[in-house]
Amino acid sequence: MTISFKDRVAIVTGAGGGLGRTYALELARRGAKVVVNDLGGSRDGTGHSDAALKVVEEIKAFGGEAMSNGGNVADLEQMTEMVAKAKEAWGGVHVLINNAGILRDKSFAKMTMDDFKLVVDVHLIGSANCTKAVWETMREQNYGRILMTASSTGLFGNFGQANYGAAKLGLAGLTKTLYLEGAKNNIRVNTLAPVAGTRMTEDLGMPEALFNALKPENVAPAALFLVSEDAPTNMIVGAGAGAYHASFITLTPGVALPEAERTPEGIAAHWDQIIDRTGEIVPQSGGEQSGVVMAALNKIGGLG
Ligand code: NAI
């Protein structure tokens, strides 16, 4: 089965280079009309350039359709305007890949709150802005595929990236509510955690062969599948160098304690049971935690 994006309109943010460029090229090769957004700044978010325009030229060179957008994802007005232009030219927006991002790495002790806020602003607020800008259109169309870009830092942590990690796990959280709110209008929302050799990772001291094995082209298949017609929803998928995997946020069965044991000492005494992963579940909404609480309550005598 060939996965086609014919007659689909796709927006890829931060597509002037790295992973986003690869997604934009592959979407266009498979028939999508693509908005290539990129501010074209440096890795820390300063400056701007015509990076988006160059990718549009690449797409046009093989006969694809694309338009460039040099807007800042952190600016809702600019993103609303970008979506309006795409709709005016092509009649709708079916796919949004929130990919734009910057780094301001430092240990939390040395990080300024300005650097914390800027990174959250570009990754988390930027993705929320772009999603907000397409949301009503996708609801009206009864069709939408949205991909958030998280990271291993957000899901699992990394020294020196408190700002980035907070924003990235926030994106997985955004996915988890938007998938619920979008479901009745056929809007599917997923999260991707890529691992790729790009300018974001070029100073990690990777051997050249590894950097090359981590080429963005190995991540693009997962990104495209996650915004395709038959995409799943509410998934967190990892991809890099030909490895593809999924992450889940789980809930252990835990314990229900009688009143007398509801003390810090009681928690300490039952800690092994609380964190025992036997029988854990993957809740599909927050309500399932309340369900576990209610079940536990019933086990120990209900509301009395
Ligand atoms: P990259 O630096 O090549 O790409 C990011 C792009 O976003 C750049 O072209 C940049 O100009 C653009 N951008 C930055 N701020 C923007 C803004 N305010 N508005 C519009 N465009 C803006 O880096 P890479 O690696 O391709 O990163 C893409 C995404 O993947 C990012 O969200 C990054 O955090 C994420 N990621 C990358 C990993 C990797 O191993 N390369 C690992 C985990 C996540």
Side-chain angles (χ1 to χ4, degrees), residues 206-229:
M206 272 187 252
E208 196 181 330
L210 177 59
F211 189 85
N212 294 339
L214 288 168
K215 61 184 179 189
E217 285 78 1
N218 285 327
V219 175
L224 263 72
F225 172 66
L226 291 171
V227 295
S228 67
E229 182 131 15

Side-chain angles (χ1 to χ4, degrees), residues 71-277:
N72 181 352
V73 293
D75 185 322
L76 176 61
E77 214 173 296
Q78 289 182 24
M79 293 303 98
T80 306
E81 204 179 296
M82 170 180 75
V83 170
K85 280 190 182 148
K87 283 178 72 178
E88 199 182 302
W90 297 322
V93 178
H94 308 96
V95 169
L96 168 66
I97 302 185
N98 286 306
N99 165 80
I102 60 166
L103 290 180
R104 293 273 170 114
D105 293 358
K106 270 198 176 88
S107 66
F108 191 61
K110 294 190 181 133
M111 187 180 287
T112 65
M113 283 316 288
D114 280 348
D115 280 351
F116 194 101
K117 284 180 190 156
L118 182 68
V119 166
V120 170
D121 222 30
V122 172
H123 289 273
L124 180 56
I125 306 298
S127 301
N129 282 341
C130 297
T131 304
K132 183 73 181 168
V134 300
W135 193 250
E136 214 37 55
T137 302
M138 288 184 172
R139 277 162 48 88
E140 281 164 14
Q141 286 168 178
N142 277 314
Y143 190 93
R145 300 288 181 266
I146 299 173
L147 187 61
M148 308 292 178
T149 306
S151 140
S152 56
T153 296
L155 301 174
F156 313 118
N158 190 26
F159 195 97
Q161 293 195 306
N163 48 3
Y164 184 75
K168 290 306 202 185
L169 191 59
L171 286 163
L174 183 59
T175 296
K176 289 192 167 291
T177 283
L178 290 184
Y179 107 87
L180 290 168
E181 294 189 10
K184 74 173 189 300
N185 293 107
N186 188 21
I187 301 173
R188 299 183 193 170
V189 191
N190 292 289
T191 303
L192 179 67
V195 180
T198 66
R199 71 176 188 176
M200 238 185 218
T201 48
E202 68 191 356
D203 58 355
L204 294 182
M206 272 187 252
E208 196 181 330
L210 177 59
F211 189 85
N212 294 339
L214 288 168
K215 61 184 179 189
E217 285 78 1
N218 285 327
V219 175
L224 263 72
F225 172 66
L226 291 171
V227 295
S228 67
E229 182 131 15
D230 293 327
T233 191
N234 187 32
M235 294 299 292
I236 302 172
V237 173
Y244 305 95
H245 34 251
S247 291
F248 297 94
I249 297 180
T250 67
L251 188 66
T252 65
V255 287
L257 298 179
E259 192 102 43
E261 287 186 71
R262 294 175 201 166
T263 57
E265 294 76 14
I267 301 297
H270 292 278
W271 188 243
D272 287 349
Q273 267 175 292
I274 291 171
I275 63 167
D276 183 355
R277 300 186 57 190

Side-chain angles (χ1 to χ4, degrees), residues 48-70:
H48 55 87
S49 71
D50 61 354
L53 204 56
K54 289 197 178 122
V55 175
V56 167
E57 280 161 12
E58 279 187 84
I59 291 173
K60 288 192 171 158
F62 62 72
E65 265 190 85
M67 70 165 80
S68 76
N69 175 277

